[in-house]
Amino acid sequence: MEIRTLTADHPLPDGHLRLLGAVDAVVGAATLVELGGARLLVDAGLPVGQPGTRLTPGLADAAHHAEALLVTHAHQDHLGAIPALLEAGFDRPILATAATLAVARIQLEDGLRLAGLPESRAEALLGRFAALGRAVAYDAPV
């Protein structure tokens, strides 16, 4: 059984919502939300089952234009593309609860180790992740 969304683009009264990932599959969540002139990237998941693919198409461009990245929770299909975004020069705040940031670091560290990245390169990416991470209260407006 295959589940598909009808469209990746959704107009909003004062903006636009664009599904960048998890459109044709359940994994690789990434959504660009534009409201009132502000742009927020929600999640940066890693697509699974697409050999050779590191980033969902359009994700790097969306991240470049977003004011921040909001990570909803620390699963690879919601944060696995963060290292690739950091390598591509992403330098905006990464927003999440303190607990999500803590677990995300563990997930990212494990993923980088499994990918066989040299320890120095992995530590540099994790350092950038930590420097950009901003803990927000669960009920705080973003």
Side-chain angles (χ1 to χ4, degrees):
M1 179 172 149
E2 185 174 85
I3 299 171
R4 292 180 166 262
T5 57
L6 297 176
T7 179
D9 293 300
H10 303 273
L12 300 173
D14 189 24
H16 191 82
L17 183 138
R18 186 173 62 185
L19 302 172
L20 302 165
V23 177
D24 294 324
V26 178
V27 295
T31 303
L32 181 64
V33 180
E34 300 179 48
L35 284 173
R39 291 181 180 178
L40 180 67
L41 181 61
V42 179
D43 290 329
L46 192 61
V48 177
Q50 299 175 22
T53 302
R54 290 202 46 172
L55 286 176
T56 300
L59 181 56
D61 186 57
H64 177 72
H65 292 97
E67 295 170 32
L69 166 62
L70 173 69
V71 179
T72 59
H73 63 284
H75 288 169
Q76 287 293 337
D77 63 324
H78 289 260
L79 60 74
I82 290 175
L85 290 178
L86 293 172
E87 285 189 318
F90 183 77
D91 62 356
R92 306 300 196 304
I94 299 173
L95 310 172
T97 64
T100 295
L101 287 171
V103 175
R105 179 180 165 76
I106 295 167
Q107 284 277 19
L108 292 172
E109 184 174 15
D110 192 46
L112 293 171
R113 183 182 50 78
L114 290 172
L117 243 62
E119 189 173 332
S120 62
R121 192 166 150 211
E123 284 302 319
L125 288 171
L126 292 169
R128 290 197 56 221
F129 173 76
L132 295 172
R134 304 285 183 274
V136 294
Y138 192 76
D139 59 351
V142 181

